[in-house]
Amino acid sequence: MTREEFNAFCKSLPHTTHVVQWGGADVWKVGGKVFAIAGWTSNDTLGVTFKTSEIGYEVLKEMPGLRPAPYLASRGMKWIQHFDAPGLGDTDLCDHIKSSHRIVAKGLTKKMQRELDLYQDESD
């Protein structure tokens, strides 16, 4: 996945906003809360960081090319960083970014979820 593809995909998700911060990283938010970050690559693989479920975290952190996200995971947060090959294919990476968007949106206040018409009718 290229940086342009990452940004286009994140932009396609409901009620997202984009900022460039933290040393030039593309940071995507829903309701003002971060759900995906791209940047900080030292090779040909785009570094993508996303929030995941507890189970997803346990599975993904052991996969080649993935790791607990530096800084975030060290503080007990369930964030994964896709940083090297083989990592995830584009389809799987997009699925995890979409899931991260949903997890973060579900953590917003019920009022904000209603205002943005996000996931309030779904159960966890």
Side-chain angles (χ1 to χ4, degrees):
M1 174 179 286
T2 67
R3 199 170 187 133
E4 293 77 22
E5 291 167 335
F6 167 82
N7 285 327
F9 180 75
C10 290
K11 184 178 181 178
S12 75
L13 297 172
H15 303 289
T16 59
T17 57
H18 172 255
V19 295
V20 177
Q21 61 188 82
W22 303 322
D26 287 297
V27 179
W28 285 89
K29 301 178 183 185
V30 58
K33 304 291 183 182
V34 176
F35 72 91
I37 306 164
W40 312 305
T41 56
S42 60
N43 56 35
D44 292 336
T45 302
L46 178 64
V48 175
T49 303
F50 54 88
K51 189 169 187 169
T52 188
S53 67
E54 293 239 358
I55 293 169
Y57 180 81
E58 292 303 319
V59 171
L60 294 171
K61 72 179 185 176
E62 303 298 329
M63 292 180 62
L66 305 177
R67 64 183 172 201
Y71 182 78
L72 296 167
S74 67
R75 283 150 179 77
M77 298 180 218
K78 303 302 181 200
W79 285 75
I80 292 291
Q81 186 175 67
H82 172 273
F83 73 99
D84 201 2
L88 297 167
D90 290 356
T91 300
D92 288 337
L93 184 55
C94 286
D95 287 346
H96 285 289
I97 293 168
K98 187 174 183 178
S99 178
S100 179
H101 177 274
R102 183 180 180 280
I103 290 167
V104 172
K106 295 283 287 178
L108 299 173
T109 65
K110 296 297 179 191
K111 179 181 178 188
M112 183 169 286
Q113 286 180 43
R114 282 190 302 275
E115 287 172 4
L116 298 177
D117 193 26
L118 289 170
Y119 308 114
Q120 71 270 9
D121 295 328
E122 297 179 19
S123 62
D124 277 322

